[in-house]
Amino acid sequence: TISPGSTYCAQLFSSYGLLPAGLIEFPENLDLVNWIVNQGYVGQASPGGHGTYTYGDVQRSIWALVEDTNSTSGLGSWNQSRVDEIISDALAMGEGFIPGCDQTVAVILNPVNCGVPGSPTNQITIAQVTTASIPQVCVPTVVCADCETVVTNEATLTCEGNQLLVSGSPAS
């Protein structure tokens, strides 16, 4: 469980990089996760007439693809029919997906004990990073010489309300 207002230390992993064994059950589905987060489902009407897609639908779809056991605690509004549509779409169109410039890529945050790096303390979190903000992936549209940051393998993760805040080390 992630508690609002709490600060966590976390290891960061790219969904396209090597992951520690057992971090997630089905890492082979991370291309599908990346496809989902780039489709803009939230707020769109379900083509099957099941209402409007919610963040809960997207989150539940992602967890169903990467883990065998899923909790719906704190998920908010979601509908299994909409989740099934998202998963079906991902299986049909997301295999082998690689985000392009200005799309988002999923990153996996593994909360660890701040005093003992590498010791898990809470559930993993999947966040999104815009590829244009990753050095050497895309050519930036705005050049900012002294404001570039780098993602390190350790970061601070803070949950405030329903927003996830991540901070890393500044570039040297």
Side-chain angles (χ1 to χ4, degrees), residues 1 6 25 46 70-71 91 96-97 106 138 140 150 171:
T1 303
S6 297
E25 288 183 68
S46 154
N70 295 281
S71 169
L91 290 169
F97 178 79
C138 296
V150 294

Side-chain angles (χ1 to χ4, degrees), residues 85-164:
E85 287 176 341
I86 292 171
I87 292 171
S88 178
D89 287 351
L91 290 169
M93 297 178 273
E95 195 66 46
F97 178 79
I98 298 173
C101 293
D102 296 322
Q103 288 188 304
T104 57
V105 63
V107 293
I108 301 156
L109 296 106
N110 182 32
V112 294
N113 182 326
C114 293
V116 186
S119 57
T121 59
N122 289 80
Q123 72 183 39
I124 65 165
T125 300
I126 296 178
Q128 301 172 43
V129 175
T130 302
T131 56
S133 64
I134 301 173
Q136 283 108 30
V137 174
C138 296
V139 177
T141 55
V142 177
V143 177
C144 181
D146 43 309
C147 65
E148 183 177 303
T149 59
V150 294
V151 177
T152 63
N153 200 32
E154 297 287 327
T156 301
L157 170 67
T158 305
C159 183
E160 290 183 11
N162 60 357
Q163 284 196 329
L164 187 63

